[in-house]
């Protein structure tokens, strides 16, 4: 574990992530597994840190926020500016509006605005989304049975944005759900 990773885990603990229930255990356990999955795919350190911290501001699918948006500078100081930007982008995603055509349109649920996202940020978002959902699907057969086919279809649309290791993992975890 890097020093910065340890600092992020400590902040997550101080904010109670180790006590927040989440499918497969606690929110902290889930976040650590997402970081580990990204690491296993060879993701750069900033994306791994974003995976560890992707729920700091809550998400469209998990509304529990550990930090309010007016404390972004605090998170940036611990996680670094690149990782914090990914965390914000991930948390701000209005999934219903953004998922159908992510590379061409991103809708920010916090500001209500839309934009064409930068390609690198789209790739980070896609990898993080896949790592997050695959953690749930790998741990819960009922989740995989119910949501797996839809996730596989979504991730097939994300395919141009995904690394080869992420795509292989999608297929390994989700193909039996179709």
């Amino acid at each position: 574990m890097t020093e910065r990773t340890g600092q992020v885990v400590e902040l997550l603990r101080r904010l109670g992530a180790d006590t927040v229930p989440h499918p497969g255990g606690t929110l902290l356990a889930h976040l650590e597994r997402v970081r580990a999955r990204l690491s296993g795919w060879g993701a750069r350190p900033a994306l791994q840190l974003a995976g560890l911290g992707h729920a700091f501001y809550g998400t469209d699918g998990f509304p529990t926020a550990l930090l309010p948006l007016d404390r972004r500078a605090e998170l940036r100081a611990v996680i670094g500016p690149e990782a914090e930007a990914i965390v914000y982008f991930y948390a701000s995603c209005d999934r219903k509006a953004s998922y159908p055509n992510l590379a061409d349109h991103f809708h920010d649920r916090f500001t209500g605005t839309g934009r064409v996202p930068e390609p690198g940020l789209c790739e980070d978002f896609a990898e993080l989304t896949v790592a997050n959902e695959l953690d749930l699907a790998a741990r819960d057969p009922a989740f995989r049975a119910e949501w797996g086919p839809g996730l596989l279809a979504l991730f097939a649309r994300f395919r141009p944005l995904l690394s080869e290791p992420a795509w292989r993992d999608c297929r390994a975890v989700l193909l039996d759900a179709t």
Side-chain angles (χ1 to χ4, degrees):
M1 181 183 310
T2 68
E3 181 179 342
R4 183 160 267 179
T5 301
Q7 292 170 345
V8 176
V9 169
E10 177 54 34
L11 178 59
L12 286 163
R13 286 186 195 285
R14 278 198 324 267
L15 296 172
D18 56 337
T19 65
V20 174
H22 192 277
T26 65
L27 178 58
L28 180 58
H30 165 69
L31 296 171
E32 289 178 317
R33 290 190 305 266
V34 170
R35 189 212 60 78
R37 181 170 247 116
L38 288 162
S39 175
W41 296 344
R44 70 189 187 289
L47 183 53
Q48 291 180 43
L49 287 169
L52 182 58
H54 73 267
F56 269 110
Y57 307 132
T59 71
D60 198 7
F62 190 77
T64 301
L66 301 173
L67 280 176
L69 291 176
D70 64 0
R71 291 176 61 187
R72 286 185 70 187
E74 181 181 333
L75 181 58
R76 197 174 299 119
V78 174
I79 204 169
E82 182 184 8
E84 191 279 334
I86 297 166
V87 169
Y88 176 87
F89 189 75
Y90 185 83
S92 72
C93 180
D94 175 332
R95 293 177 180 185
K96 187 175 181 182
S98 300
Y99 277 6
N101 202 8
L102 177 64
D104 295 322
H105 177 75
F106 181 85
H107 190 82
D108 185 316
R109 70 188 181 98
F110 297 139
T111 66
T113 60
R115 66 182 168 114
V116 176
E118 302 83 29
L121 203 47
C122 263
E123 291 166 359
D124 290 341
F125 178 87
E127 292 270 316
L128 181 49
T129 298
V130 168
N132 178 64
E133 299 298 344
L134 289 185
D135 176 64
L136 301 175
R139 297 190 70 77
D140 184 349
F143 176 92
R144 187 172 56 250
E146 181 175 352
W147 299 104
L151 288 172
L152 187 58
L154 173 66
F155 299 157
R157 288 196 312 273
F158 282 5
R159 176 65 187 105
L161 303 169
L162 297 175
S163 66
E164 191 56 39
W167 180 240
R168 275 196 309 270
D169 204 9
C170 284
R171 294 173 51 82
V173 173
L174 298 174
L175 269 179
D176 65 345
T178 60

